[in-house]
Amino acid sequence: MKMPRTKKKNGRGGPHGHVHPFSDEDASIETLSHCSSFSDTASVADEGGEASEDTAQEDFQYKLKGFIDSTVDKSAKTRQGALDGLKTAMATRILYEFISERRMTVTDSIERCLKKGKGEEQRAAASLACLLCIQLGPGIESEEVFKTLKPIFKNILADGSASIQARQAVATSLGLCTLVAEDDILDVHASMECFENLFTRSYARMDGTCPLISPQMSQLHTNALLSWALLLTICTANQLKDILHKHLPKLPRLLESDDVNMRIAAGETIALLFELARDLDSEFEFEDWEQLCDKLNALATDCNKHRAKTDKRKQRSVFRDVLKAVEEGDFQSEAIRFGTERMTIDSWVRKRMYDAFREFVGSGMNYHLQANEFIRDVFELGPPMLVDSATMKAMKIPRFERHLHNSAAFKARTKARSKFRDKRVDVGEF
C-alpha cells in the first residue's frame, strides 16, 4: 500500500486568555464539539442546545489562543504547559481551519522552542510539529511547515551534545513529518540515511558481541529504526531493492541487542521488509533464511533467566508473529473498531503506519480514524461517515454506567489475582 499524496483538506475551526490545562472532560470525545465539517451533523456536545454548544466552542477557541500566546512566555514551565495543551487539543479534535489560520504562528513557536528550549520542552515541541502536520494533511501547508522545521530536526538528531530526550523525540517526529509532508522521494531517502547513521551503531559486532550503549541511547536508536521502517512503506521499488540488498543481511545483528525494545523493533522491521520484498517478487529468497529463522525461533521461545519475565512475555508474543511472517508470509490480523465502523490491520505496512499515528494521537486515534480525512485516506477508509446526533447519543455509554462497569471489572481482577496469590498458583509464562 502506498501513502496517498492527496492535496485535499478537511475540517473547520476557528478565538485567548489565561492558560488552564485540559481536563479529562475537555479531552473526552464524548464532550467534543468538533471543529470540522464532520461536526455539523455529528456534534456530541452535552445537552443544552445550540447556544450552549456555541459558547463551549468559543471557550475552547479562547483557551487555544491562550496556549498559542503562552508558547512565547518567559517561563519554561508555562511554555511547556502551552505546548502540551495544544498537543492534547490536536490529538482529540479536528482543528484544520483554526490551525490553518495560525499555521505560521504555531510553526514559529515550535521552531523557537526547539532551538532555545531544553529537554522536555523540545520533546513537546517536536511532538506538536507532528500533530500540526497530521491536522494539515499532505499539501503545500504542511510542506511549508516541514521545510522550516526539517533542518532543525536534522541538526538536533545529529548533535551528540543535544538533550537525549530531544533527540529521541525528533527521531520519531522526523519520520512521521517526512511521511506526511515531504514532497520529494529523494529527500525521503536522505532522511532515511539520517536514521541509518544512528540505528546501525547498535549492530552486534561480527564476533557476536554487542556495543556498550546506554539505555537512553538505545531508545534513540530504536526510535530511529522505527522511523526508518515507517518510511520504507513509501519507498519506490528501486529504492526497496537497494535497501533489501544493503540492509536485510545486516538487520538480524540488531536481534542480539540487550534492549528488548530494540530486539522487537528489529524483528518487526525484518518482517516488514520480507512483506515488501515478496510484494515486489513473490519468489523472493533470502540467502541466510534458515539461520534467520533459527534466531527468530530462539527469541520466540526465549528462556533466558537473566531477562525480566514481562520482557520475555512481550518478546515471545511479537517474535511468534515475526517468525510466521518470515517463514510463511502470514500476518496476524487485528480488527480496530471506531464509531460505527471497523478497520482491519492486515499487514506489517498497515501496522507500522497505525502504530506511528497512534504514538502521537494516543487515545484520540479512534476519533481521527472516524473524522480525519487525511488519516482515512491513508487507511483507505473513504470520506468520513456523517453520523447524526441522535445516533451518536444512542452509541454513548453514560459516564456513571461506564464508571460502575470499570469498578466491577477492577474488583473482579483484584479478587482473581488475590486467589492466585493465596494458593501460590504458578501461572507460568506465555
Side-chain angles (χ1 to χ4, degrees), residues 23 25-26 28-34 42-57 93 389 393 396-399:
S23 66
E25 187 169 342
D26 284 325
S28 170
I29 293 171
E30 289 186 2
T31 61
L32 293 181
S33 173
H34 300 151
S43 172
V44 290
D46 291 335
E47 292 182 10
E50 197 171 317
S52 64
E53 184 177 326
D54 290 344
T55 301
Q57 184 65 24
R93 304 193 185 194
S389 181
K393 286 181 180 179
K396 288 196 299 181
I397 302 174
R399 192 180 295 263

Side-chain angles (χ1 to χ4, degrees), residues 109-132:
S109 293
I110 293 171
E111 180 181 8
R112 191 179 300 107
C113 292
L114 284 171
K115 284 182 174 179
K116 298 183 179 180
K118 305 294 182 185
E120 289 302 317
E121 182 181 342
Q122 290 175 300
R123 180 194 288 273
S127 296
L128 182 59
C130 254
L131 286 160
L132 180 59

Side-chain angles (χ1 to χ4, degrees), residues 339-382:
T340 59
E341 299 175 84
R342 169 176 164 162
M343 176 181 75
T344 302
I345 305 294
D346 56 3
S347 67
W348 290 97
V349 167
R350 278 201 168 205
K351 183 181 188 307
R352 180 79 286 273
M353 285 186 169
Y354 179 82
D355 288 348
F357 283 112
R358 189 177 58 180
E359 172 122 9
F360 289 96
V361 301
S363 61
M365 185 63 186
N366 283 2
Y367 169 66
H368 276 271
L369 284 170
Q370 194 174 358
N372 186 314
E373 194 169 326
F374 160 58
I375 288 183
R376 289 181 68 86
D377 279 347
V378 170
F379 294 105
E380 300 171 332
L381 296 170

Side-chain angles (χ1 to χ4, degrees), residues 9 90 96 99-112 114-115 125-154 173-174 176-178 180-183:
K9 297 291 187 292
M90 290 192 200
Y96 171 71
I99 293 299
S100 183
E101 290 172 359
R102 297 160 179 82
R103 169 174 52 89
M104 295 311 299
T105 303
V106 176
T107 304
D108 288 346
S109 293
I110 293 171
E111 180 181 8
R112 191 179 300 107
L114 284 171
K115 284 182 174 179
S127 296
L128 182 59
C130 254
L131 286 160
L132 180 59
C133 287
I134 289 171
Q135 287 281 337
L136 295 173
I140 189 65
E141 291 174 315
S142 59
E143 286 168 14
E144 288 179 355
V145 169
F146 190 46
K147 186 176 180 180
T148 299
L149 299 179
K150 180 168 65 171
I152 304 166
F153 278 165
K154 289 192 173 182
S173 296
L174 177 60
L176 190 56
C177 285
T178 300
V180 178
E182 186 59 82
D183 63 343

Side-chain angles (χ1 to χ4, degrees), residues 22 43 103 130-131 137 175 209 213 276 295 301 324 409:
F22 280 104
S43 172
R103 169 174 52 89
C130 254
L131 286 160
T209 59
I213 296 173
L276 291 168
K295 190 173 288 188
T301 57
K324 282 185 180 179

Side-chain angles (χ1 to χ4, degrees), residues 117-383:
K118 305 294 182 185
E120 289 302 317
E121 182 181 342
Q122 290 175 300
R123 180 194 288 273
S127 296
L128 182 59
C130 254
L131 286 160
L132 180 59
C133 287
I134 289 171
Q135 287 281 337
L136 295 173
I140 189 65
E141 291 174 315
S142 59
E143 286 168 14
E144 288 179 355
V145 169
F146 190 46
K147 186 176 180 180
T148 299
L149 299 179
K150 180 168 65 171
I152 304 166
F153 278 165
K154 289 192 173 182
N155 286 341
I156 292 173
L157 200 59
D159 184 359
S161 64
S163 156
I164 190 67
Q165 290 91 350
R167 295 180 76 199
Q168 289 170 351
V170 164
T172 302
S173 296
L174 177 60
L176 190 56
C177 285
T178 300
L179 182 88
V180 178
E182 186 59 82
D183 63 343
D184 188 333
I185 196 65
L186 294 179
D187 288 336
V188 171
H189 193 63
S191 292
M192 293 180 74
E193 288 180 343
C194 292
F195 298 134
E196 290 168 15
N197 290 336
L198 290 172
F199 71 74
T200 53
R201 297 177 193 176
S202 282
Y203 280 163
R205 302 182 184 94
M206 295 307 293
D207 63 2
T209 59
C210 295
L212 292 175
I213 296 173
S214 70
Q216 286 191 316
M217 189 60 68
S218 183
Q219 186 61 56
L220 170 62
H221 294 177
T222 300
N223 290 2
L225 176 61
L226 290 172
S227 284
W228 183 80
L230 178 66
L231 297 183
L232 285 174
T233 65
I234 56 170
C235 282
T236 64
N238 286 335
Q239 284 177 323
L240 278 175
K241 288 175 184 176
D242 290 342
I243 287 167
L244 287 165
H245 176 73
K246 180 180 178 182
H247 287 283
L248 190 53
K250 298 176 183 177
L251 279 170
R253 286 155 62 184
L254 292 174
L255 300 174
E256 307 291 338
S257 173
D258 293 330
D259 185 337
V260 65
N261 291 322
M262 173 57 87
R263 293 196 298 274
I264 288 172
E268 292 185 339
T269 301
I270 289 168
L272 173 63
L273 272 173
F274 267 84
E275 180 178 276
L276 291 168
R278 286 165 176 157
D279 283 345
L280 287 176
D281 177 8
S282 60
E283 302 300 319
F284 171 77
E285 292 184 2
F286 178 55
E287 186 175 340
D288 297 322
W289 182 78
E290 288 187 7
Q291 184 179 348
L292 174 60
C293 289
D294 287 344
K295 190 173 288 188
L296 295 175
N297 185 60
L299 290 166
T301 57
D302 192 357
C303 294
N304 191 325
K305 293 182 179 179
H306 299 293
R307 289 177 180 159
K309 287 185 177 181
T310 52
D311 285 353
K312 283 190 284 188
R313 194 173 295 130
K314 180 180 176 184
Q315 174 184 290
R316 288 174 182 177
S317 174
V318 171
F319 277 96
R320 282 196 294 267
D321 292 340
V322 172
L323 183 60
K324 282 185 180 179
V326 172
E327 282 187 330
E328 306 165 25
D330 282 351
F331 180 84
Q332 187 67 42
S333 295
E334 178 185 0
I336 308 295
R337 291 178 174 82
F338 50 97
T340 59
E341 299 175 84
R342 169 176 164 162
M343 176 181 75
T344 302
I345 305 294
D346 56 3
S347 67
W348 290 97
V349 167
R350 278 201 168 205
K351 183 181 188 307
R352 180 79 286 273
M353 285 186 169
Y354 179 82
D355 288 348
F357 283 112
R358 189 177 58 180
E359 172 122 9
F360 289 96
V361 301
S363 61
M365 185 63 186
N366 283 2
Y367 169 66
H368 276 271
L369 284 170
Q370 194 174 358
N372 186 314
E373 194 169 326
F374 160 58
I375 288 183
R376 289 181 68 86
D377 279 347
V378 170
F379 294 105
E380 300 171 332
L381 296 170

